[in-house]
Amino acid sequence: MGFVDYSKIIIRSGKGGDGHVSFRREKYVPDGGPDGGDGGDGGSVYFMVDQGMNTLSDYRHKRKFVAESGEEGGKKNRHGKKGEDLILPVPPGTLIREASSGQIICDMSGKNEKQLILKGGKGGIGNQHFATSSMQAPRYAKPGEDAIELEVILELKVIADVGLIGYPSVGKSTFLSSVSNARPKIAEYHFTTLSPNLGVVDIGDGNGFVLADIPGLIEGASDGVGLGHDFLRHIQRCRVLIHVVDAASVEGRDPVRDIEAINKELALFSEELSKKPQLIAANKVDAMDEDEREIALSLIKGAYPDAEIFMVSAVTKEGVRELISRAYELLTENGEEAEVFVSEYDPALLRQKDDEIRVYESDGEYFVEGYRIDKMMGYTNLESEKGFSFFQKFLKENGILDELVKLGISDGDTVNMSGFSFEYYR
């Protein structure tokens, strides 16, 4: 199965179990009180980092993931069982976005190893809670909160300290294998590497860093040509870049033009990318004599006078130690860890969106709609004096009566709420 670093899925929390309506039915107790139990809370949805994962392939073929709903309450004050939480594993470095807005919900990196995304619906309460001195046999209970569904985008950004960038076949994979424990597949043709390869570089004295061979970039990558966006995304977390070029022009490449073209793609994709510290690895010097080396170095230096250029051979390892040491120095100068996005996302806000009450007029009739209205109507017994009084109080305290008056409602007009129709009287 190929490398997968992007997926769009639907997640759904569990619905809260409904409260139960029942009464004690015991021998010699003809008028037993209410004993309806509460419903169980619905399961929540979490994402959790799995260090053993390195792709999003688990989300390639399955699109919808649902947490378990809470059980309904039962007789004899029996509480419904809580729905089981849904915990979705993702590789470290996974960004989770809200699909509709593109807003980042969380970044599963650094110390953020487990994140609550959707909270399960709260269980409803049974009729035992509604008993009063004047209402000893309530025949209604509170339903559980509904489930919440959300479409999210999972986007994997490889976590590495240093990234190898450059055109295909300039020797990045060979370089990675020569300096680290990585053993990437290497072949002499373009687009050999279709997924980032990671390796750990040992500097000595217990020091080291993670090096990523980012797949070969091409012109137009910032516009999404080829797999451009996918490849560029992985560079964003790297703190230092090593730009590998074919100094020997083995395949007729112009190293100066290649540097210019790749850096242009980085800048077009993200201004932040273009500002990252960059070292130039003029590779394949084993295929050059002294004069050719001098010419290549002078050409690159002439075009990029401020650049740090290292003449190296990934095959013979000439110049490699110096380059790696300098990369490590830059890492220590630029902090210890890549910056991790911290989101202000609050799962409770999704329910607050549902709390909005809409009051409007259409063709002479008035409509009151919204999640809270539906819930209130679900657990209010309008046939009882207490229930109808609660209903009136709810409309007043939530400004619904005032909104109807502003819209010009008159005595005798029809108001529709959650499938019920009422005649309005002041």
Side-chain angles (χ1 to χ4, degrees), residues 43-57:
S44 298
V45 180
Y46 294 83
F47 281 96
M48 186 165 72
V49 170
D50 182 340
Q51 298 291 345
M53 293 177 69
N54 57 15
T55 84
L56 294 169
S57 57

Side-chain angles (χ1 to χ4, degrees), residues 23 32 38 143 163 223 232 265 354 363 385:
F23 299 90
D38 300 343
D223 294 324
L232 286 162
E265 295 303 324
D354 290 334
D363 294 330
E385 184 178 342

Side-chain angles (χ1 to χ4, degrees), residues 149-342:
E149 190 169 280
L150 186 67
E151 187 175 39
V152 295
I153 291 170
L154 309 183
E155 191 177 282
L156 176 59
K157 294 183 178 182
V158 167
I159 298 178
D161 301 301
V162 179
L164 295 174
I165 61 172
Y167 270 87
S169 72
V170 293
K172 298 193 307 300
S173 295
T174 305
F175 184 90
L176 177 67
S177 65
S178 73
V179 301
S180 74
N181 59 353
R183 293 294 174 264
K185 293 179 181 177
I186 300 168
E188 293 303 320
Y189 51 87
H190 294 264
F191 303 105
T192 303
T193 312
L194 291 179
S195 61
N197 283 304
L198 299 180
V200 177
V201 179
D202 184 6
I203 298 295
D205 298 324
N207 297 317
F209 58 84
V210 178
L211 178 66
D213 169 19
I214 307 298
L217 296 174
I218 57 175
E219 285 178 90
S222 59
D223 294 324
V225 173
L227 297 176
H229 280 174
D230 296 337
F231 296 162
L232 286 162
R233 182 164 59 237
H234 294 296
I235 307 173
Q236 288 180 300
R237 289 195 195 274
C238 299
R239 287 180 287 140
V240 173
L241 302 178
I242 295 178
H243 197 148
V244 184
V245 294
D246 178 3
S249 300
V250 172
E251 294 191 15
R253 302 213 64 88
D254 178 347
V256 171
R257 186 190 173 284
D258 283 0
I259 295 169
E260 179 186 0
I262 294 296
N263 283 343
K264 179 183 176 184
E265 295 303 324
L266 298 184
L268 287 171
F269 184 74
S270 162
E271 184 180 353
E272 177 195 356
L273 273 186
S274 66
K275 293 178 179 177
K276 287 185 182 289
Q278 188 176 127
L279 303 173
I280 295 177
N283 193 26
K284 302 187 181 181
V285 297
D286 55 287
M288 308 167 72
D289 60 28
E290 284 300 321
D291 288 341
E292 290 170 331
R293 292 186 185 199
E294 287 294 328
I295 293 170
L297 178 60
S298 63
L299 286 172
I300 298 172
K301 198 73 178 172
Y304 302 97
D306 297 327
E308 293 188 60
I309 306 166
F310 293 80
M311 304 298 284
V312 301
S313 168
V315 174
T316 66
K317 298 191 178 183
E318 180 185 343
V320 167
R321 179 178 290 276
E322 293 81 2
L323 171 58
I324 290 302
S325 296
R326 179 57 182 145
Y328 184 71
E329 285 178 9
L330 287 174
L331 280 177
T332 56
E333 292 170 11
N334 284 274
E336 294 185 358
E337 285 189 2
E339 183 179 351
V340 174
F341 179 88
V342 179

Side-chain angles (χ1 to χ4, degrees), residues 34 130-140 381 384-387:
F130 294 98
T132 65
S133 57
S134 59
M135 171 78 65
Q136 296 184 1
R139 296 189 173 276
Y140 55 92
N381 183 2
S384 73
E385 184 178 342
K386 181 185 175 185

Side-chain angles (χ1 to χ4, degrees), residues 304-412:
Y304 302 97
D306 297 327
E308 293 188 60
I309 306 166
F310 293 80
M311 304 298 284
V312 301
S313 168
V315 174
T316 66
K317 298 191 178 183
E318 180 185 343
V320 167
R321 179 178 290 276
E322 293 81 2
L323 171 58
I324 290 302
S325 296
R326 179 57 182 145
Y328 184 71
E329 285 178 9
L330 287 174
L331 280 177
T332 56
E333 292 170 11
N334 284 274
E336 294 185 358
E337 285 189 2
E339 183 179 351
V340 174
F341 179 88
V342 179
S343 174
E344 299 296 322
Y345 174 78
D346 180 357
L349 293 177
L350 287 173
R351 290 209 180 273
Q352 287 181 19
K353 288 179 187 176
D354 290 334
D355 282 351
E356 181 187 355
I357 296 175
R358 298 171 295 283
V359 183
Y360 63 95
E361 181 269 336
S362 178
D363 294 330
E365 290 193 8
Y366 295 83
F367 296 84
V368 181
E369 297 177 350
Y371 174 77
R372 287 170 60 209
I373 286 289
D374 294 341
K375 300 300 286 184
M376 183 271 295
M377 296 293 284
Y379 62 73
T380 303
N381 183 2
L382 298 177
E383 295 179 5
S384 73
E385 184 178 342
K386 181 185 175 185
F388 198 76
S389 175
F390 170 80
F391 169 68
Q392 293 277 62
K393 185 179 177 183
F394 181 92
L395 297 182
K396 184 176 181 180
E397 289 183 348
N398 286 276
I400 295 168
L401 293 179
D402 290 341
E403 286 297 316
L404 289 170
V405 170
K406 285 180 187 176
L407 290 171
I409 196 168
S410 302
D411 286 357

